[in-house]
Amino acid sequence: MGYRVAVVGATGAVGREILKTLAERDFPISDIVALASPRSVGREVSFGDRTLKVQNLETFDFTGWDVGLFSPGGSVSAKYAPIAAKAGCVVIDNTSHFRMEPGVPLVVPEVNPNALKGMKHNIIANPNCSTIQMVVALKPLHDLFGLKRVVVSTYQAVAGAGKDGMDELFAQTRGSFVNDPPKIEQFQKQIAFNCIPQIDRFMDDGATKEEWKMTVETKKILDPDIAVIATCVRVPVFIGHSESVIAEFEEPVDLAQARAALREAEGVILRDEREDGGYVTPIECVGEDATYVSRLRIDPTVPHGLAFWCVSDNLRKGAALNAVQIAETMIALDLLPKHG
């Protein structure tokens, strides 16, 4: 017997990736439903070798459904996730709405699976895509040397802004070759052939909300005493986030130990060859599950410093895969009861 699974926001980029990931990983499903807003009702989405017709989230009854994988946008999750949770459906939400709420676990299964045991409201939060790949890479190093401070600069793909963001990059790139003026709608400035040092809105201290998310989420997932400063940049890449990470530790860093820990770490692939092309770029991680770590080296500017580069598919590990892995981990920990 499998589980009854509802995928909310099924027509979006992440929702489609969730359906693909569920099928690829042969998640134990007895029944599945694709849900979206009324304007998407009747559209078809793929699930393995099947086609699902999208149903109306606004009128759907979650009673008897075991798990809801939500990626419809923050305001929609804010309204419908509690409704699903109250009906007994365990919600794994990919939006930022519930991440910092007390009693809502914020989980990366390779990093803090036991946080799932603290679930109080039938809601679990999926962290921000840029946070996920960073903490996956940092966890084995934190266990070895005791993480103290992180300085991270991100190079984030337009897929983080959804299908419309990807369409805008495509349209601006194509238009540049025929002298069409760029149409700017999804981003603050032209994204084609450009880098934009703003993701989400500005906050009072000058950080953007994306940068704030990386700070507070890392503290909640790894350790509240870790200091984090982030600069988040949107770049003209369709899929795949990249990060330059500089970490300072409590204990002296042994590079050989760090390499060994990363090689053995779940969800990490270390490719660090000190030669031309001996590293992983975002285009190479598309469709892959792992977080790739490269350019590992000692930072001599602080007593116990280490620098590295990491990339990951932000639609997979940064969103869909992590959500499905949370559900799989709940099954392994016997935390996901069946209603059927």
Side-chain angles (χ1 to χ4, degrees):
M1 282 289 292
Y3 293 84
R4 304 187 75 207
V5 178
V7 178
V8 179
T11 58
V14 174
R16 291 176 184 273
E17 195 68 30
I18 287 174
L19 288 165
K20 180 182 175 184
T21 304
L22 287 167
E24 287 177 349
R25 294 175 72 86
D26 198 22
F27 188 86
I29 290 173
S30 62
D31 196 6
I32 187 165
V33 63
L35 302 172
S37 64
R39 68 178 180 273
S40 295
V41 170
R43 288 176 60 183
E44 294 184 341
V45 291
S46 297
F47 172 63
D49 57 2
R50 296 167 52 189
T51 298
L52 306 177
K53 282 203 170 183
V54 174
Q55 298 185 34
N56 190 352
L57 169 64
E58 294 183 2
T59 57
F60 187 76
D61 183 1
F62 284 93
T63 304
W65 290 82
D66 302 310
V67 59
L69 299 167
F70 276 58
S71 58
S75 61
V76 179
S77 280
K79 180 176 180 179
Y80 291 99
I83 293 172
K86 189 175 180 180
C89 178
V90 173
V91 171
I92 301 171
D93 183 51
N94 196 61
T95 76
S96 63
H97 185 79
F98 298 99
R99 289 176 187 161
M100 301 312 297
E101 284 198 11
V104 175
L106 183 66
V107 177
V108 180
E110 299 95 331
V111 178
N112 63 334
N114 287 330
L116 290 166
K117 297 175 181 177
M119 179 181 66
K120 296 179 180 178
H121 310 296
N122 264 5
I123 297 176
I124 300 153
N126 212 33
N128 189 30
C129 47
S130 50
T131 304
I132 289 173
Q133 71 185 70
M134 185 174 76
V135 298
V136 167
L138 285 173
K139 176 62 162 62
L141 301 172
H142 179 44
D143 290 345
L144 266 180
F145 309 119
L147 187 59
K148 180 180 177 182
R149 179 173 182 257
V150 181
V151 180
V152 56
S153 298
T154 72
Y155 309 78
Q156 294 181 224
V158 295
K163 181 180 180 297
D164 290 342
M166 297 172 76
D167 288 345
E168 185 155 311
L169 172 57
F170 179 81
Q172 288 181 2
T173 303
R174 182 178 58 186
S176 69
F177 294 106
V178 292
N179 293 320
D180 282 346
K183 194 173 182 180
I184 299 170
E185 294 179 339
Q186 301 302 314
F187 305 106
Q188 299 83 7
K189 298 194 177 191
Q190 175 180 324
I191 185 60
F193 309 101
N194 200 15
C195 298
I196 303 173
Q198 179 187 351
I199 301 176
D200 213 322
R201 62 180 174 82
F202 277 99
M203 305 183 74
D204 291 341
D205 64 354
T208 63
K209 192 172 182 184
E210 184 83 357
E211 293 158 355
W212 173 83
K213 290 175 191 173
M214 290 196 75
T215 298
V216 296
E217 290 177 18
T218 300
K219 288 173 175 286
K220 184 171 179 177
I221 295 166
L222 275 182
D223 188 326
D225 293 330
I226 296 170
V228 181
I229 178 73
T231 300
C232 295
V233 182
R234 189 74 73 189
V235 297
V237 169
F238 282 103
I239 298 172
H241 286 355
S242 306
E243 296 174 351
S244 168
V245 181
I246 301 171
E248 183 180 355
F249 297 90
E250 298 284 354
E251 303 294 329
V253 176
D254 182 283
L255 194 57
Q257 284 185 318
R259 288 180 183 278
L262 288 166
R263 284 194 190 98
E264 296 169 8
E266 184 183 358
V268 175
I269 293 179
L270 178 66
R271 185 185 172 196
D272 184 30
E273 301 158 12
R274 295 181 175 180
E275 60 186 39
D276 291 352
Y279 42 80
V280 181
T281 58
I283 202 167
E284 297 165 88
C285 76
V286 176
E288 300 293 327
D289 292 345
T291 293
Y292 292 85
V293 176
S294 306
R295 301 292 321 281
L296 194 68
R297 61 205 187 276
I298 295 293
D299 173 10
T301 66
V302 292
H304 311 309
L306 189 69
F308 61 87
W309 168 262
C310 72
V311 299
S312 191
D313 183 328
N314 57 297
L315 293 182
R316 287 188 69 84
K317 185 53 187 171
L321 173 64
N322 199 73
V324 174
Q325 286 177 315
I326 289 172
E328 292 171 341
T329 304
M330 293 190 73
I331 294 171
L333 295 174
D334 198 25
L335 296 173
L336 190 61
K338 296 177 185 174
H339 291 90

